[in-house]
Amino acid sequence: VAINPHTPVHLLSDILGDLDQVIIMSVNPGFGGQSFIPGTFRKLNALAEMRHVHGATLQIEVDGGVSLQNYAEIAAHGADALVAGNSVFNAPDPAAAIRGMCA
C-alpha cells in the first residue's frame, strides 16, 4: 500500500496484518526534486507504533525527498527502506551518495 502525504496512517489499521509493505510518500507524487515533508516523521512514528501494537511484520518504506542530510533521521523514525532519486542521480558521484546512505 502506498499513501500520499495527506492520507492518515490510521486508515490502515483494519488491514495492517494483511500488508507486506507500506510506502509513505514524503512528497506529493508526480515529479522529482521536491523537498521532504517534515510531517512525514509523525506518520512514520504512528505507523511504527501501529506495527508494534498489532504485531505486524510489514516493511515501512519512505519515498521522496530522501537525502544524505535526512536519511538517518528518517530511519530513526521507523523506516526500513528508503527511496532516494534526485539525491543519488543528481549527485556528482552517485555511487558515493548511495554508500553514504548505507552507513
Side-chain angles (χ1 to χ4, degrees), residues 1-69:
V1 170
I3 58 174
N4 286 328
H6 299 291
T7 304
V9 295
H10 73 82
L11 295 177
L12 303 175
S13 61
D14 289 341
I15 61 168
L16 214 58
D18 298 324
L19 302 177
D20 295 318
Q21 183 178 48
V22 174
I23 301 169
I24 296 178
M25 295 301 300
S26 49
V27 299
N28 290 301
F31 60 95
Q34 297 177 64
S35 296
F36 181 87
I37 297 171
T40 303
F41 291 125
R42 222 176 19 259
K43 291 173 82 168
L44 278 168
N45 293 339
L47 185 56
E49 177 66 16
M50 289 170 57
R51 174 175 61 180
H52 174 73
V53 167
H54 292 279
T57 58
L58 62 90
Q59 182 181 48
I60 300 171
E61 180 175 303
V62 172
D63 184 348
V66 176
S67 69
L68 282 166
Q69 290 72 36

